[in-house]
Amino acid sequence: MSGARVHVTGIGFITPLGCTAESFDDALFNGRSAVRARTLEIEGLDPVELAVAACDFDAAAVRSGSRLPLDRGTAMAVAAARDAAAQAGLRSGSVDPERLGIFWGSGLAGAGSFDDTTRALYGERRRMRPTTVLTVMPNAAVAELALQFGAQGAAIAYACACASSAVAIGEAMRAIRGGWIDTAIVGGHEAMLTPGVMASWHAMRVTAPPPPGAPGSACRPFSGDRAGFALGEGAAALVLESEAHASTRSAVRASSLFLAGYATNCDATHITNPDPAGQVRAMRAALRDAGIEPAQVGHINAHGTATTAGDAAEAASIRGVFGRATPVSATKAIHGHVLGGGGAIELVTALRTLAQGVLPPTANLRVPDAAFDVDFVLGEAREARDLRYVLSNSFAFGGTNAVLVAGRAMDR
């Protein structure tokens, strides 16, 4: 079934750039960063200045289908999925529940709940909440989404670090192509701007310090003076449907966007240092799955972490597959690194790029590293009205690579 289209009939998101297409597009195409400075203060340690991108989101306002407390990340997942389902017009009875699946990715799942619980236990000597396990477990969001939408097909959580949600989306695409389900609610989340998680990333020396007076310029992917990434939070959800199923609901006529290709593999070389050869294999496999040639891809949404090793490997692998022919953007500069939820949010940026026919700039990238011979979109957005296919990269600690190819039907 390689090359078969899987239609995107609904999109929802909770991001630092906003939760509507209008606010998201405004920030994306104008390169407006949501990264801000935050002081991490932990008793007994020196304060640390970090650059982070947080969402304006009230988790307490989200209704729980399980009637249990929701972790902030799970609440984001529910809100994003509801918006996607509403846009797709999914209603009770419009989908066979046994043919509806949930495929969701997150790296740290209920990080906020875990941080709260350990602080209460060790710092305040308070009793554990009896619901702690249910809010922290990696499949907490999947279980909640299945309850809320009555999904009785496959309901699977994926944990592949920064590739988690991209893998979840790709595996859902395979399940639909394989005929095991007709419809899937897919995506990912991460809500880990907690003291423990932020301190852990800072200790790895991969986070960028916020420049005084200009914290939005902290993350500079592919720049000669890049200094690491800014942590972010958020969630993104898609409704995916087979062409046959979407056609019966007339949904396919309302959406011109589809997923065309997917591949995942593993470098199997190092726990943190990426291997360009593995990334090349993943991108070429995704193109084969889509049944297209590199020249047909009009834009690449790079993983672009702004780390020394990550950017160098990705620039080399893009050059190896596409040469200098395909424009490249990296959007973590404005919405932060959302880790396990990043693949889903960055696929949404790729789909907005397709829908608008405009390539977003890489914010904060003024002078690319001289070693990277790639066509970066610099300064301002670039018009691309004939854009047909885009590719989105997600590369993770542990060596997992996931590549998604999205397309736009030109006859709709």
Side-chain angles (χ1 to χ4, degrees):
M1 293 287 286
S2 290
R5 294 177 177 180
V6 172
H7 289 266
V8 179
T9 56
I11 300 174
F13 47 87
I14 306 296
T15 78
L17 306 182
C19 306
T20 66
E22 291 76 15
S23 64
F24 191 86
D25 285 0
D26 182 54
L28 177 66
F29 296 119
N30 289 292
R32 188 173 300 120
S33 177
V35 174
R36 302 289 183 267
R38 178 177 293 185
T39 303
L40 175 61
E41 295 182 282
I42 299 175
E43 186 177 354
L45 300 177
D46 293 335
V48 175
E49 286 292 308
L50 294 173
V52 303
C55 297
D56 181 10
F57 176 74
D58 180 10
V62 177
R63 179 183 57 82
S64 166
S66 62
R67 301 184 179 180
L68 296 174
L70 298 179
D71 179 82
R72 178 174 173 81
T74 299
M76 287 181 172
V78 170
R82 285 179 183 165
D83 288 348
Q87 187 180 95
L90 282 188
R91 291 178 292 276
S92 178
S94 64
V95 181
D96 178 350
E98 296 186 15
R99 306 277 298 169
L100 172 63
I102 308 291
F103 293 69
W104 202 260
S106 182
L108 293 171
S113 297
F114 188 72
D115 201 77
D116 289 345
T117 298
T118 51
R119 187 167 56 247
L121 179 64
Y122 297 121
E124 302 166 13
R125 303 299 178 188
R126 285 195 281 120
R127 292 171 52 197
M128 302 286 283
R129 290 186 318 180
T131 56
T132 296
V133 170
L134 303 178
T135 54
V136 171
M137 63 186 191
N139 64 330
V142 170
E144 185 66 30
L145 292 172
L147 278 171
Q148 298 231 354
F149 293 97
Q152 297 175 357
I156 308 174
Y158 293 84
C160 313
C162 302
S164 299
S165 54
V167 169
I169 293 167
E171 294 301 321
M173 177 184 176
R174 285 177 172 173
I176 291 172
R177 279 177 169 177
W180 298 306
I181 54 175
D182 300 318
T183 306
I185 296 172
V186 306
H189 78 272
E190 209 76 87
M192 41 65 208
L193 299 181
T194 64
V197 176
M198 289 192 292
S200 298
W201 281 105
H202 177 70
M204 289 193 76
R205 301 182 179 181
V206 292
T207 55
S217 65
C219 181
R220 301 182 291 275
F222 300 108
S223 177
D225 66 349
R226 63 197 184 279
F229 56 76
L231 289 169
E233 65 171 0
L238 311 175
V239 174
L240 303 183
E241 295 184 64
S242 68
E243 179 144 14
H245 190 269
S247 296
T248 63
R249 300 193 314 111
S250 299
V252 71
R253 288 198 298 273
S255 173
S256 61
L257 303 176
F258 59 89
L259 297 185
Y262 159 67
T264 185
N265 66 7
C266 187
D267 294 344
T269 55
H270 194 278
I271 199 74
T272 57
N273 283 336
D275 179 15
Q279 297 175 3
V280 165
R281 289 195 298 272
M283 283 188 270
R284 286 179 174 161
L287 294 173
R288 284 196 302 274
D289 189 51
I292 62 174
E293 299 295 325
Q296 292 175 265
V297 174
H299 183 246
I300 297 169
N301 190 310
H303 188 62
T305 57
T307 58
T308 300
D311 283 4
E314 187 170 18
S317 65
I318 288 173
R319 176 77 184 180
V321 176
F322 295 93
R324 204 178 189 284
T326 307
V328 176
S329 303
T331 57
K332 286 182 175 66
I334 58 173
H335 55 63
H337 194 346
V338 191
L339 306 179
I345 290 176
E346 288 160 40
L347 179 63
V348 168
T349 70
L351 293 169
R352 295 307 301 165
T353 297
L354 274 170
Q356 298 295 332
V358 178
L359 313 184
T362 298
N364 306 324
L365 177 57
R366 295 179 176 81
V367 181
D369 189 313
F372 304 161
D373 188 15
V374 175
D375 178 19
F376 296 109
V377 182
L378 300 175
E380 59 185 20
R382 192 184 300 179
E383 190 170 294
R385 295 297 172 194
D386 58 350
L387 192 62
R388 181 73 184 273
Y389 291 101
V390 298
L391 180 145
S392 184
N393 283 334
S394 296
F395 303 139
F397 279 178
T400 299
N401 304 307
V403 180
L404 293 162
V405 179
R408 178 168 65 105
M410 304 301 281
D411 55 346
R412 296 189 178 96

mmCIF file with all atom_site columns, all heavy atoms in Angstrom, residues 143-160:
data_model
loop_
_atom_site.group_PDB
_atom_site.id
_atom_site.type_symbol
_atom_site.label_atom_id
_atom_site.label_alt_id
_atom_site.label_comp_id
_atom_site.label_asym_id
_atom_site.label_entity_id
_atom_site.label_seq_id
_atom_site.pdbx_PDB_ins_code
_atom_site.Cartn_x
_atom_site.Cartn_y
_atom_site.Cartn_z
_atom_site.occupancy
_atom_site.B_iso_or_equiv
_atom_site.pdbx_formal_charge
_atom_site.auth_seq_id
_atom_site.auth_comp_id
_atom_site.auth_asym_id
_atom_site.auth_atom_id
_atom_site.pdbx_PDB_model_num
ATOM 1   N N   . ALA A 1 143 ? -5.332  6.431  26.925 1.00 0.00 ? 143 ALA A N   1
ATOM 2   C CA  . ALA A 1 143 ? -6.505  5.891  27.611 1.00 0.00 ? 143 ALA A CA  1
ATOM 3   C C   . ALA A 1 143 ? -7.606  6.942  27.720 1.00 0.00 ? 143 ALA A C   1
ATOM 4   O O   . ALA A 1 143 ? -8.792  6.653  27.514 1.00 0.00 ? 143 ALA A O   1
ATOM 5   C CB  . ALA A 1 143 ? -6.100  5.395  29.002 1.00 0.00 ? 143 ALA A CB  1
ATOM 6   N N   . GLU A 1 144 ? -7.208  8.174  28.056 1.00 0.00 ? 144 GLU A N   1
ATOM 7   C CA  . GLU A 1 144 ? -8.194  9.241  28.189 1.00 0.00 ? 144 GLU A CA  1
ATOM 8   C C   . GLU A 1 144 ? -8.849  9.550  26.840 1.00 0.00 ? 144 GLU A C   1
ATOM 9   O O   . GLU A 1 144 ? -10.080 9.732  26.756 1.00 0.00 ? 144 GLU A O   1
ATOM 10  C CB  . GLU A 1 144 ? -7.524  10.490 28.754 1.00 0.00 ? 144 GLU A CB  1
ATOM 11  C CG  . GLU A 1 144 ? -8.468  11.635 29.055 1.00 0.00 ? 144 GLU A CG  1
ATOM 12  C CD  . GLU A 1 144 ? -9.458  11.334 30.178 1.00 0.00 ? 144 GLU A CD  1
ATOM 13  O OE1 . GLU A 1 144 ? -9.110  10.563 31.079 1.00 0.00 ? 144 GLU A OE1 1
ATOM 14  O OE2 . GLU A 1 144 ? -10.586 11.869 30.120 1.00 0.00 ? 144 GLU A OE2 1
ATOM 15  N N   . LEU A 1 145 ? -8.061  9.586  25.781 1.00 0.00 ? 145 LEU A N   1
ATOM 16  C CA  . LEU A 1 145 ? -8.621  9.866  24.451 1.00 0.00 ? 145 LEU A CA  1
ATOM 17  C C   . LEU A 1 145 ? -9.551  8.743  23.997 1.00 0.00 ? 145 LEU A C   1
ATOM 18  O O   . LEU A 1 145 ? -10.603 8.995  23.390 1.00 0.00 ? 145 LEU A O   1
ATOM 19  C CB  . LEU A 1 145 ? -7.484  10.063 23.437 1.00 0.00 ? 145 LEU A CB  1
ATOM 20  C CG  . LEU A 1 145 ? -6.637  11.329 23.638 1.00 0.00 ? 145 LEU A CG  1
ATOM 21  C CD1 . LEU A 1 145 ? -5.439  11.319 22.699 1.00 0.00 ? 145 LEU A CD1 1
ATOM 22  C CD2 . LEU A 1 145 ? -7.474  12.582 23.414 1.00 0.00 ? 145 LEU A CD2 1
ATOM 23  N N   . ALA A 1 146 ? -9.174  7.505  24.269 1.00 0.00 ? 146 ALA A N   1
ATOM 24  C CA  . ALA A 1 146 ? -10.038 6.383  23.893 1.00 0.00 ? 146 ALA A CA  1
ATOM 25  C C   . ALA A 1 146 ? -11.379 6.465  24.615 1.00 0.00 ? 146 ALA A C   1
ATOM 26  O O   . ALA A 1 146 ? -12.445 6.229  24.018 1.00 0.00 ? 146 ALA A O   1
ATOM 27  C CB  . ALA A 1 146 ? -9.341  5.061  24.208 1.00 0.00 ? 146 ALA A CB  1
ATOM 28  N N   . LEU A 1 147 ? -11.338 6.828  25.896 1.00 0.00 ? 147 LEU A N   1
ATOM 29  C CA  . LEU A 1 147 ? -12.587 6.995  26.649 1.00 0.00 ? 147 LEU A CA  1
ATOM 30  C C   . LEU A 1 147 ? -13.442 8.110  26.062 1.00 0.00 ? 147 LEU A C   1
ATOM 31  O O   . LEU A 1 147 ? -14.657 7.965  25.879 1.00 0.00 ? 147 LEU A O   1
ATOM 32  C CB  . LEU A 1 147 ? -12.263 7.334  28.108 1.00 0.00 ? 147 LEU A CB  1
ATOM 33  C CG  . LEU A 1 147 ? -11.924 6.190  29.050 1.00 0.00 ? 147 LEU A CG  1
ATOM 34  C CD1 . LEU A 1 147 ? -11.424 6.744  30.384 1.00 0.00 ? 147 LEU A CD1 1
ATOM 35  C CD2 . LEU A 1 147 ? -13.151 5.314  29.270 1.00 0.00 ? 147 LEU A CD2 1
ATOM 36  N N   . GLN A 1 148 ? -12.806 9.233  25.780 1.00 0.00 ? 148 GLN A N   1
ATOM 37  C CA  . GLN A 1 148 ? -13.561 10.397 25.326 1.00 0.00 ? 148 GLN A CA  1
ATOM 38  C C   . GLN A 1 148 ? -14.188 10.192 23.954 1.00 0.00 ? 148 GLN A C   1
ATOM 39  O O   . GLN A 1 148 ? -15.269 10.706 23.672 1.00 0.00 ? 148 GLN A O   1
ATOM 40  C CB  . GLN A 1 148 ? -12.650 11.623 25.309 1.00 0.00 ? 148 GLN A CB  1
ATOM 41  C CG  . GLN A 1 148 ? -12.117 11.980 26.688 1.00 0.00 ? 148 GLN A CG  1
ATOM 42  C CD  . GLN A 1 148 ? -12.313 13.427 27.054 1.00 0.00 ? 148 GLN A CD  1
ATOM 43  O OE1 . GLN A 1 148 ? -12.752 14.234 26.261 1.00 0.00 ? 148 GLN A OE1 1
ATOM 44  N NE2 . GLN A 1 148 ? -11.982 13.773 28.294 1.00 0.00 ? 148 GLN A NE2 1
ATOM 45  N N   . PHE A 1 149 ? -13.514 9.443  23.076 1.00 0.00 ? 149 PHE A N   1
ATOM 46  C CA  . PHE A 1 149 ? -14.014 9.275  21.711 1.00 0.00 ? 149 PHE A CA  1
ATOM 47  C C   . PHE A 1 149 ? -14.606 7.886  21.471 1.00 0.00 ? 149 PHE A C   1
ATOM 48  O O   . PHE A 1 149 ? -15.021 7.579  20.352 1.00 0.00 ? 149 PHE A O   1
ATOM 49  C CB  . PHE A 1 149 ? -12.893 9.557  20.705 1.00 0.00 ? 149 PHE A CB  1
ATOM 50  C CG  . PHE A 1 149 ? -12.463 10.996 20.698 1.00 0.00 ? 149 PHE A CG  1
ATOM 51  C CD1 . PHE A 1 149 ? -11.360 11.421 21.411 1.00 0.00 ? 149 PHE A CD1 1
ATOM 52  C CD2 . PHE A 1 149 ? -13.196 11.952 20.000 1.00 0.00 ? 149 PHE A CD2 1
ATOM 53  C CE1 . PHE A 1 149 ? -10.979 12.748 21.428 1.00 0.00 ? 149 PHE A CE1 1
ATOM 54  C CE2 . PHE A 1 149 ? -12.844 13.282 20.004 1.00 0.00 ? 149 PHE A CE2 1
ATOM 55  C CZ  . PHE A 1 149 ? -11.717 13.693 20.725 1.00 0.00 ? 149 PHE A CZ  1
ATOM 56  N N   . GLY A 1 150 ? -14.630 7.056  22.494 1.00 0.00 ? 150 GLY A N   1
ATOM 57  C CA  . GLY A 1 150 ? -15.202 5.718  22.340 1.00 0.00 ? 150 GLY A CA  1
ATOM 58  C C   . GLY A 1 150 ? -14.450 4.860  21.343 1.00 0.00 ? 150 GLY A C   1
ATOM 59  O O   . GLY A 1 150 ? -15.057 4.031  20.645 1.00 0.00 ? 150 GLY A O   1
ATOM 60  N N   . ALA A 1 151 ? -13.147 5.054  21.264 1.00 0.00 ? 151 ALA A N   1
ATOM 61  C CA  . ALA A 1 151 ? -12.328 4.308  20.294 1.00 0.00 ? 151 ALA A CA  1
ATOM 62  C C   . ALA A 1 151 ? -12.084 2.885  20.787 1.00 0.00 ? 151 ALA A C   1
ATOM 63  O O   . ALA A 1 151 ? -11.489 2.691  21.852 1.00 0.00 ? 151 ALA A O   1
ATOM 64  C CB  . ALA A 1 151 ? -11.004 5.029  20.083 1.00 0.00 ? 151 ALA A CB  1
ATOM 65  N N   . GLN A 1 152 ? -12.505 1.905  20.024 1.00 0.00 ? 152 GLN A N   1
ATOM 66  C CA  . GLN A 1 152 ? -12.346 0.505  20.407 1.00 0.00 ? 152 GLN A CA  1
ATOM 67  C C   . GLN A 1 152 ? -11.358 -0.244 19.510 1.00 0.00 ? 152 GLN A C   1
ATOM 68  O O   . GLN A 1 152 ? -11.199 -1.444 19.609 1.00 0.00 ? 152 GLN A O   1
ATOM 69  C CB  . GLN A 1 152 ? -13.707 -0.195 20.391 1.00 0.00 ? 152 GLN A CB  1
ATOM 70  C CG  . GLN A 1 152 ? -14.681 0.400  21.403 1.00 0.00 ? 152 GLN A CG  1
ATOM 71  C CD  . GLN A 1 152 ? -16.069 -0.209 21.321 1.00 0.00 ? 152 GLN A CD  1
ATOM 72  O OE1 . GLN A 1 152 ? -16.335 -1.056 20.469 1.00 0.00 ? 152 GLN A OE1 1
ATOM 73  N NE2 . GLN A 1 152 ? -16.962 0.221  22.207 1.00 0.00 ? 152 GLN A NE2 1
ATOM 74  N N   . GLY A 1 153 ? -10.724 0.498  18.583 1.00 0.00 ? 153 GLY A N   1
ATOM 75  C CA  . GLY A 1 153 ? -9.658  -0.111 17.780 1.00 0.00 ? 153 GLY A CA  1
ATOM 76  C C   . GLY A 1 153 ? -8.350  -0.045 18.545 1.00 0.00 ? 153 GLY A C   1
ATOM 77  O O   . GLY A 1 153 ? -8.337  0.093  19.768 1.00 0.00 ? 153 GLY A O   1
ATOM 78  N N   . ALA A 1 154 ? -7.230  -0.119 17.847 1.00 0.00 ? 154 ALA A N   1
ATOM 79  C CA  . ALA A 1 154 ? -5.926  -0.055 18.513 1.00 0.00 ? 154 ALA A CA  1
ATOM 80  C C   . ALA A 1 154 ? -5.775  1.273  19.234 1.00 0.00 ? 154 ALA A C   1
ATOM 81  O O   . ALA A 1 154 ? -6.117  2.327  18.695 1.00 0.00 ? 154 ALA A O   1
ATOM 82  C CB  . ALA A 1 154 ? -4.819  -0.222 17.485 1.00 0.00 ? 154 ALA A CB  1
ATOM 83  N N   . ALA A 1 155 ? -5.260  1.225  20.461 1.00 0.00 ? 155 ALA A N   1
ATOM 84  C CA  . ALA A 1 155 ? -4.977  2.435  21.228 1.00 0.00 ? 155 ALA A CA  1
ATOM 85  C C   . ALA A 1 155 ? -3.577  2.273  21.806 1.00 0.00 ? 155 ALA A C   1
ATOM 86  O O   . ALA A 1 155 ? -3.387  1.565  22.794 1.00 0.00 ? 155 ALA A O   1
ATOM 87  C CB  . ALA A 1 155 ? -6.005  2.647  22.335 1.00 0.00 ? 155 ALA A CB  1
ATOM 88  N N   . ILE A 1 156 ? -2.600  2.937  21.169 1.00 0.00 ? 156 ILE A N   1
ATOM 89  C CA  . ILE A 1 156 ? -1.202  2.625  21.448 1.00 0.00 ? 156 ILE A CA  1
ATOM 90  C C   . ILE A 1 156 ? -0.425  3.902  21.752 1.00 0.00 ? 156 ILE A C   1
ATOM 91  O O   . ILE A 1 156 ? -0.547  4.904  21.047 1.00 0.00 ? 156 ILE A O   1
ATOM 92  C CB  . ILE A 1 156 ? -0.542  1.910  20.249 1.00 0.00 ? 156 ILE A CB  1
ATOM 93  C CG1 . ILE A 1 156 ? -1.382  0.698  19.821 1.00 0.00 ? 156 ILE A CG1 1
ATOM 94  C CG2 . ILE A 1 156 ? 0.864   1.468  20.600 1.00 0.00 ? 156 ILE A CG2 1
ATOM 95  C CD1 . ILE A 1 156 ? -0.880  0.013  18.566 1.00 0.00 ? 156 ILE A CD1 1
ATOM 96  N N   . ALA A 1 157 ? 0.415   3.837  22.795 1.00 0.00 ? 157 ALA A N   1
ATOM 97  C CA  . ALA A 1 157 ? 1.308   4.942  23.151 1.00 0.00 ? 157 ALA A CA  1
ATOM 98  C C   . ALA A 1 157 ? 2.717   4.624  22.653 1.00 0.00 ? 157 ALA A C   1
ATOM 99  O O   . ALA A 1 157 ? 3.190   3.497  22.794 1.00 0.00 ? 157 ALA A O   1
ATOM 100 C CB  . ALA A 1 157 ? 1.318   5.138  24.662 1.00 0.00 ? 157 ALA A CB  1
ATOM 101 N N   . TYR A 1 158 ? 3.360   5.632  22.089 1.00 0.00 ? 158 TYR A N   1
ATOM 102 C CA  . TYR A 1 158 ? 4.711   5.467  21.558 1.00 0.00 ? 158 TYR A CA  1
ATOM 103 C C   . TYR A 1 158 ? 5.668   6.356  22.345 1.00 0.00 ? 158 TYR A C   1
ATOM 104 O O   . TYR A 1 158 ? 5.372   7.528  22.573 1.00 0.00 ? 158 TYR A O   1
ATOM 105 C CB  . TYR A 1 158 ? 4.772   5.855  20.073 1.00 0.00 ? 158 TYR A CB  1
ATOM 106 C CG  . TYR A 1 158 ? 3.975   4.905  19.204 1.00 0.00 ? 158 TYR A CG  1
ATOM 107 C CD1 . TYR A 1 158 ? 2.608   5.082  19.040 1.00 0.00 ? 158 TYR A CD1 1
ATOM 108 C CD2 . TYR A 1 158 ? 4.581   3.819  18.584 1.00 0.00 ? 158 TYR A CD2 1
ATOM 109 C CE1 . TYR A 1 158 ? 1.861   4.208  18.265 1.00 0.00 ? 158 TYR A CE1 1
ATOM 110 C CE2 . TYR A 1 158 ? 3.851   2.938  17.805 1.00 0.00 ? 158 TYR A CE2 1
ATOM 111 C CZ  . TYR A 1 158 ? 2.494   3.135  17.655 1.00 0.00 ? 158 TYR A CZ  1
ATOM 112 O OH  . TYR A 1 158 ? 1.768   2.259  16.890 1.00 0.00 ? 158 TYR A OH  1
ATOM 113 N N   . ALA A 1 159 ? 6.791   5.816  22.753 1.00 0.00 ? 159 ALA A N   1
ATOM 114 C CA  . ALA A 1 159 ? 7.803   6.568  23.481 1.00 0.00 ? 159 ALA A CA  1
ATOM 115 C C   . ALA A 1 159 ? 9.155   6.358  22.808 1.00 0.00 ? 159 ALA A C   1
ATOM 116 O O   . ALA A 1 159 ? 9.832   5.361  23.057 1.00 0.00 ? 159 ALA A O   1
ATOM 117 C CB  . ALA A 1 159 ? 7.853   6.127  24.941 1.00 0.00 ? 159 ALA A CB  1
ATOM 118 N N   . CYS A 1 160 ? 9.498   7.254  21.921 1.00 0.00 ? 160 CYS A N   1
ATOM 119 C CA  . CYS A 1 160 ? 10.771  7.198  21.192 1.00 0.00 ? 160 CYS A CA  1
ATOM 120 C C   . CYS A 1 160 ? 11.450  8.561  21.307 1.00 0.00 ? 160 CYS A C   1
ATOM 121 O O   . CYS A 1 160 ? 11.880  9.139  20.301 1.00 0.00 ? 160 CYS A O   1
ATOM 122 C CB  . CYS A 1 160 ? 10.548  6.861  19.722 1.00 0.00 ? 160 CYS A CB  1
ATOM 123 S SG  . CYS A 1 160 ? 9.433   5.499  19.381 1.00 0.00 ? 160 CYS A SG  1
#
